[in-house]
Amino acid sequence: MKKLISALALMVMFAASGPALAVNPDEVLKDPKLEQRARDLSLEIRCVVCQNQSIDDSNADLAKDLRLLVRERLQAGDSDKQVLDYLVDRYGEFVLLKPRIASHTLLLWIGGPLVLLIGGFVIFRNIRKQRSLGPDKEKSGPIPLSDAEKKELEELLKDE
């Protein structure tokens, strides 16, 4: 039982510290406030190699370079916005994990909810339409033959 608890504690410790392992000790700034700002910014910046990870979580060489660049800009006195603007100017808006709301990203922000609303409306309309038909019309069965069709069918059957 003790081995199981020790193993679980070890797994939780490694799982919780996974993203922190990407930042190397030589990258850490001496000023804790500046380091915290750098870590917060690093969580907003996409690793352009890994694409679905922040540079804080990635071990790629480019992510390390970006982490160092963020720290250099912060030490130079740049604000968080200036650092992000610098990276966007250099790499494009793809470098941001959460794109900014602007006229050219408006479709990105409203596209998902818009498709969801349109789909919900179509489903609602179809359900309402089927209910308006009523149970009698859904189970009406085949349409009876006219007199001319009955005569034609009898002639066809006689020929055989």
Side-chain angles (χ1 to χ4, degrees):
M1 185 68 174
K2 288 182 183 181
K3 288 182 180 180
L4 179 63
I5 292 173
S6 298
L8 286 174
L10 193 59
M11 287 189 327
V12 167
M13 183 179 74
F14 280 122
S17 67
L21 295 175
V23 177
N24 297 327
D26 62 334
E27 297 174 29
V28 178
L29 296 173
K30 292 179 183 176
D31 182 5
K33 289 183 182 179
L34 225 63
E35 177 61 28
Q36 187 58 47
R37 280 180 58 203
R39 295 299 289 268
D40 292 342
L41 279 173
S42 295
L43 292 174
E44 295 179 34
I45 301 167
R46 179 190 317 269
C47 173
V48 293
V49 174
C50 307
Q51 295 187 6
N52 285 333
Q53 286 184 325
S54 69
I55 60 171
D56 204 38
D57 298 337
S58 175
N59 285 324
D61 290 336
L62 183 60
K64 179 180 179 178
D65 293 342
L66 287 173
R67 286 192 301 266
L68 291 173
L69 181 64
V70 166
R71 283 165 173 76
E72 286 173 15
R73 301 294 297 188
L74 289 175
Q75 285 179 329
D78 286 359
S79 69
D80 293 356
K81 184 180 180 333
Q82 288 173 323
V83 172
L84 290 175
D85 288 343
Y86 176 79
L87 290 171
V88 167
D89 288 342
R90 193 165 182 187
Y91 296 100
E93 281 201 38
F94 182 74
V95 79
L96 299 175
L97 276 172
K98 294 178 184 172
R100 296 174 176 165
I101 298 176
S103 61
H104 62 280
T105 60
L106 195 58
L107 183 62
L108 176 68
W109 284 102
I110 65 170
L114 187 64
V115 168
L116 186 65
L117 286 173
I118 291 171
F121 174 74
V122 168
I123 290 171
F124 174 75
R125 193 182 69 180
N126 286 342
I127 289 173
R128 192 169 176 187
K129 191 176 190 181
Q130 284 185 354
R131 285 186 181 168
S132 70
L133 290 176
D136 297 336
K137 294 185 180 181
E138 288 179 10
K139 300 177 185 176
S140 62
I143 300 172
L145 297 175
S146 66
D147 291 334
E149 292 172 331
K150 285 180 185 177
K151 288 180 183 177
E152 186 178 341
L153 181 62
E154 286 175 10
E155 288 176 19
L156 288 172
L157 290 174
K158 285 181 185 176
D159 292 342
E160 290 182 12

